[in-house]
Amino acid sequence: MSDLLTRAEYAAIADAMDFPKAAFIDGKYRAGRGGKLKTHNPATGKPICEIAACNKADVDLAVSKAREAFDQGHWAKLHPGERKDVLIRLCKLITRNRRELAVMESLDSGKPIRDCELIDIPETIHTIKWHAEAADKLYDQTAPGGDDAIAMIVREPVGVVAAVLPWNFPLLMLAWKIGPALAAGNSVIVKPAEQTSLTALRVAELAAEAGVPRGVLQVLPGDGPAVGEPLGLHSGVDMVSFTGSTETGKRFLRYSADSNLKKVVLECGGKNPAVVLDDAENLDLVAEHIVNAAFWNMGENCSANSRLIVHEAVKKPLLKSVLARLRDWKTGDPLDPQNHLGALIDKAHCKKVAGYLKSAKGKLLAGGKVDGSFVSPTIFDEVRRGDRLAREEIFGPVLSIITVGSFDEAMEIANDTDYGLTASVFTANGRKALRAARSIRAGTVTVNCYGEGDISTPFGGYKQSGFGGRDNGIHAHDQYTEIKTIWIDLGDPAAGDRVE
């Protein structure tokens, strides 16, 4: 808590804040041609500001500027070490403005300020810096062409990349996209979620200050039909990287098929299991992970462990510890650093989550209360594997408990889902841990903890949780580049042209 300010100090920063109010196109703020986009504080329902929204004409302008910047090569052909230096300057500017960005993020998204300060801002900086440092350390390859040829396999930037962001981690998901995309030399057009555009706009301004050339990083506020769809259908866009719902992600595959077969990378939803086997040790620690996995960021997290699949032998003591841990997770004003949980993103989403609570068939153990846009952390026991609570992504602070009697039953239920993003397994038996990790069809499986790995490990999902690539790690750089083979014939020119 020593790094955090008081509620009054955060409120003072909020009161003095100057919010960005326009799109960021070709290196400067410009008024969009799609009218006004009102952004609200989810915790109070009060308007924060009006932002100039964009439309198809703005998309066309941004794509032309991105293509112009890419073709000129001021960024794409810059030495990787020089791109690294610019991105590290951006990290320093974000660090210098971290308090402003943290408060802006909290106001815009309803996220608790403690998470913005202690998790989101540091991870945003670390992500961009990690990819920047990788820019001049990724080697290309040669293939065994024999004595008569040299075969080179080289990476080249894709070109113009559209990054479509979710509202649950606005800054961090921005970093996940622009870090590797810019490090690889691409021009990037960011479409933030219409509910949370502020921090992306501010970071674009800081990027220009750091030395990112005009047209290389642009931000277009607006809704899906006005900005997202035109980007997805635009033949001048070479790639779309999307994080959000599975339903919306599928649309970008259709847009690609209906336009230029642009590359599409999707990181979508999840209905992730936490499996606690009968030999799990230190149930108090397991409970700490379970509570964090289910309720961090108000459950508005694609990797949230929203299904607790627990062996009947340890269920009773585990639930006792879970309920005890839950008492520490206070819900309230996001600008109060004492609160672990803030507000859900907007009234419409809160209504959706409340609908799940009303129709739930399980036994309510905790929570279930809705106050405005605040939903208390909620736990349902005796949930059946076919219930909506067990099958649908709620994207709210709701944990469903399913009881099992064996390892095989736990694995069967863990995989009984359309999703496959993450999973957690708790066991003291190393053999069981490895069997479970290999059995569960998910992109990330953690053992005796909850998490997503770190910046060095790829993140993405199986089944309807993902498509086309992975965020994070060196794998993220691969998806923002094209692979080219260059074959050089070293044969004797006097022998004439060789026919292959």
Side-chain angles (χ1 to χ4, degrees):
M1 297 292 287
S2 59
D3 292 332
L4 298 174
L5 304 180
T6 66
R7 166 65 180 83
E9 289 171 318
Y10 286 122
I13 294 173
D15 290 341
M17 189 167 292
D18 183 20
F19 298 102
K21 299 181 178 65
F24 197 85
I25 300 175
D26 197 28
K28 62 183 179 181
Y29 286 118
R30 290 174 180 252
R33 287 172 275 191
K36 295 292 184 180
L37 183 67
K38 293 183 179 180
T39 185
H40 293 81
N41 182 336
T44 64
K46 296 179 180 179
I48 298 173
C49 65
E50 285 190 345
I51 303 170
C54 295
N55 62 13
K56 185 179 182 300
D58 298 300
V59 170
D60 290 340
L61 174 63
V63 172
S64 69
K65 294 299 182 182
R67 178 63 61 191
E68 180 182 319
F70 184 77
D71 290 343
Q72 289 173 345
H74 298 316
W75 183 256
K77 296 179 181 178
L78 197 65
H79 189 279
E82 295 181 72
R83 289 201 297 267
K84 175 186 73 173
D85 292 341
V86 173
L87 292 175
I88 288 177
R89 283 200 295 272
L90 171 58
C91 291
K92 291 178 179 178
L93 288 171
I94 294 174
T95 301
R96 193 179 303 164
N97 294 274
R98 65 189 184 279
R99 282 260 150 80
E100 172 202 5
L101 287 165
V103 173
M104 191 180 292
E105 187 91 325
S106 180
L107 292 173
D108 207 20
S109 67
K111 295 170 68 73
I113 190 65
R114 61 179 296 130
D115 283 0
C116 296
E117 281 265 46
L118 301 180
I119 300 174
D120 293 52
I121 297 293
E123 284 298 312
T124 294
I125 296 166
H126 180 57
T127 295
I128 296 174
K129 185 181 295 184
W130 193 91
H131 288 294
E133 289 287 1
D136 61 354
K137 300 174 182 66
L138 292 175
Y139 287 80
D140 290 326
Q141 299 169 309
T142 59
D147 291 338
D148 294 332
I150 292 178
M152 297 188 295
I153 299 96
V154 300
R155 295 182 181 90
E156 294 182 350
V158 168
V160 176
V161 174
V164 182
L165 308 182
W167 44 254
N168 57 334
F169 290 94
L171 265 175
L172 191 50
M173 293 302 100
L174 173 71
W176 279 24
K177 307 297 186 189
I178 69 171
L182 291 178
N186 295 285
S187 295
V188 183
I189 301 170
V190 176
K191 190 268 179 210
E194 56 264 34
Q195 299 95 330
T196 53
S197 300
L198 296 177
T199 49
L201 289 166
R202 182 71 177 107
V203 168
E205 182 182 12
L206 294 175
E209 184 179 343
V212 174
R214 293 169 54 180
V216 171
L217 179 60
Q218 303 176 91
V219 178
L220 306 184
D223 61 20
V227 179
E229 183 176 347
L231 282 171
L233 289 169
H234 204 296
S235 293
V237 174
D238 300 300
M239 174 185 171
V240 170
S241 180
F242 168 84
T243 296
S245 71
T246 299
E247 178 185 0
T248 303
K250 290 178 179 180
R251 293 178 188 163
F252 282 98
L253 294 178
R254 298 188 188 102
Y255 298 153
S256 174
D258 291 341
S259 55
N260 60 334
L261 279 183
K262 58 177 61 67
K263 295 176 67 173
V264 177
V265 174
L266 307 176
E267 195 273 282
C268 299
K271 192 66 181 175
N272 311 295
V275 179
V276 182
L277 299 176
D278 57 343
D279 59 354
E281 295 179 328
N282 195 346
L283 293 182
D284 284 340
L285 181 59
V286 174
E288 181 180 345
H289 283 288
I290 295 298
V291 170
N292 184 48
F295 303 122
W296 171 49
N297 203 52
M298 296 73 70
E300 295 174 328
N301 181 11
C302 58
S303 67
N305 283 349
S306 55
R307 291 186 295 153
L308 172 56
I309 301 171
V310 57
H311 195 283
E312 58 192 4
V314 295
K315 177 180 177 180
K316 185 175 180 180
L318 177 63
L319 292 190
K320 182 179 179 181
S321 293
V322 166
L323 293 173
R325 290 280 181 183
L326 197 59
R327 289 193 290 266
D328 296 331
W329 283 64
K330 299 177 181 178
T331 303
D333 180 1
L335 287 184
D336 186 343
Q338 299 296 325
N339 291 325
H340 284 70
L341 299 173
L344 300 194
I345 187 64
D346 57 27
K347 291 180 180 178
H349 184 61
C350 192
K351 183 178 179 181
K352 173 191 170 186
V353 174
Y356 280 100
L357 302 184
K358 291 178 181 178
S359 65
K361 297 179 181 179
K363 178 182 178 182
L364 182 65
L365 295 185
K369 297 179 181 179
V370 180
D371 182 9
S373 291
F374 295 89
V375 176
S376 60
T378 301
I379 300 176
F380 284 99
D381 192 9
E382 300 177 8
V383 175
R384 295 173 298 181
R385 60 192 291 182
D387 292 348
R388 291 180 69 207
L389 288 181
R391 304 204 66 82
E392 298 180 18
E393 185 180 36
I394 299 171
F395 226 60
V398 182
L399 176 65
S400 303
I401 300 173
I402 302 172
T403 308
V404 296
S406 69
F407 176 92
D408 290 340
E409 184 183 7
M411 294 301 100
E412 180 186 353
I413 293 176
N415 284 321
D416 185 17
T417 173
D418 293 332
Y419 299 103
L421 188 56
T422 68
S424 299
V425 178
F426 297 87
T427 174
N429 186 300
R431 177 184 250 174
K432 283 185 180 179
L434 288 173
R435 282 182 58 205
R438 295 302 298 267
S439 297
I440 296 174
R441 293 186 55 76
T444 297
V445 180
T446 58
V447 177
N448 292 328
C449 65
Y450 163 71
E452 298 175 352
D454 64 15
I455 187 58
S456 68
T457 58
F459 182 81
Y462 287 30
K463 298 187 273 188
Q464 295 193 40
S465 287
F467 178 89
R470 292 289 190 266
D471 289 316
N472 293 345
I474 297 301
H475 297 76
H477 287 254
D478 290 343
Q479 69 193 20
Y480 291 105
T481 56
E482 295 282 12
I483 301 300
K484 175 180 284 186
T485 294
I486 300 175
W487 185 276
I488 303 173
D489 190 342
L490 300 179
D492 185 356
D497 294 335
R498 182 168 52 191
V499 178
E500 297 292 341

